[in-house]
């Protein structure tokens, strides 16, 4: 069955870094566009980053220059490297896979940025 499993979240101080991972199984990973979303308490779910191919990426303005999305098709894994973290980055981060009419979601991983 299809699975997307996020990991790497945790508590970090402002200015620190985390790398999130999303391990995929049950579908042809290389054929899918991968996305990271986040949702903070009381706020709408926000698109953070998209990777369409190895070299084609897009980012929300709020994270541009600080976050990097990447993928390793051989490992069926997408990553989100988060640097210079701010308290406003605190949220549950979700991995999403889309292709045509197919869409899959992970359960999310909590990221908390606090001193």
């Amino acid at each position: 069955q299809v699975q997307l499993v996020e990991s790497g979240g945790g508590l970090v101080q402002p200015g620190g870094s985390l790398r999130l991972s999303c391990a995929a199984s049950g579908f042809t990973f290389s054929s899918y566009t991968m996305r990271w979303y986040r949702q903070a308490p009381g706020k709408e779910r926000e698109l953070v980053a998209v990777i369409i191919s190895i070299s084609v990426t897009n980012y929300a303005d709020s994270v541009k220059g600080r976050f990097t999305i990447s993928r390793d098709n051989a490992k069926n894994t997408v990553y989100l490297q988060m640097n210079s973290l701010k308290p406003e980055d605190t949220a549950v981060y979700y991995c999403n896979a889309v292709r045509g009419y197919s869409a899959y979601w992970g359960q999310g991983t909590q990221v908390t940025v606090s001193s």
Side-chain angles (χ1 to χ4, degrees):
Q1 70 277 14
V2 170
Q3 283 190 303
L4 294 173
V5 181
E6 300 97 334
S7 62
L11 175 64
V12 64
Q13 294 185 352
S17 298
L18 286 173
R19 189 179 77 155
L20 306 183
S21 298
C22 174
S25 61
F27 63 97
T28 305
F29 178 81
S30 61
S31 298
Y32 280 71
T33 293
M34 302 300 298
R35 304 189 284 194
W36 285 98
Y37 285 80
R38 67 186 182 187
Q39 188 166 27
K43 296 185 177 180
E44 296 180 351
R45 189 166 294 187
E46 173 191 20
L47 178 63
V48 175
V50 181
I51 184 162
I52 301 168
S53 65
I54 295 298
S55 59
V56 179
T57 59
N58 287 285
Y59 300 91
D61 288 341
S62 59
V63 307
K64 194 170 296 181
R66 300 188 297 120
F67 290 12
T68 302
I69 188 171
S70 62
R71 66 193 296 164
D72 187 338
N73 288 340
K75 296 182 178 180
N76 289 350
T77 302
V78 62
Y79 305 94
L80 186 67
Q81 178 67 46
M82 305 185 295
N83 299 326
S84 302
L85 283 161
K86 305 174 181 179
E88 51 263 45
D89 295 319
T90 296
V92 177
Y93 284 72
Y94 297 92
C95 178
N96 167 251
V98 293
R99 189 189 75 175
Y101 296 109
S102 297
Y104 308 116
W105 290 88
Q107 291 83 16
T109 185
Q110 176 71 50
V111 172
T112 302
V113 185
S114 176
S115 58

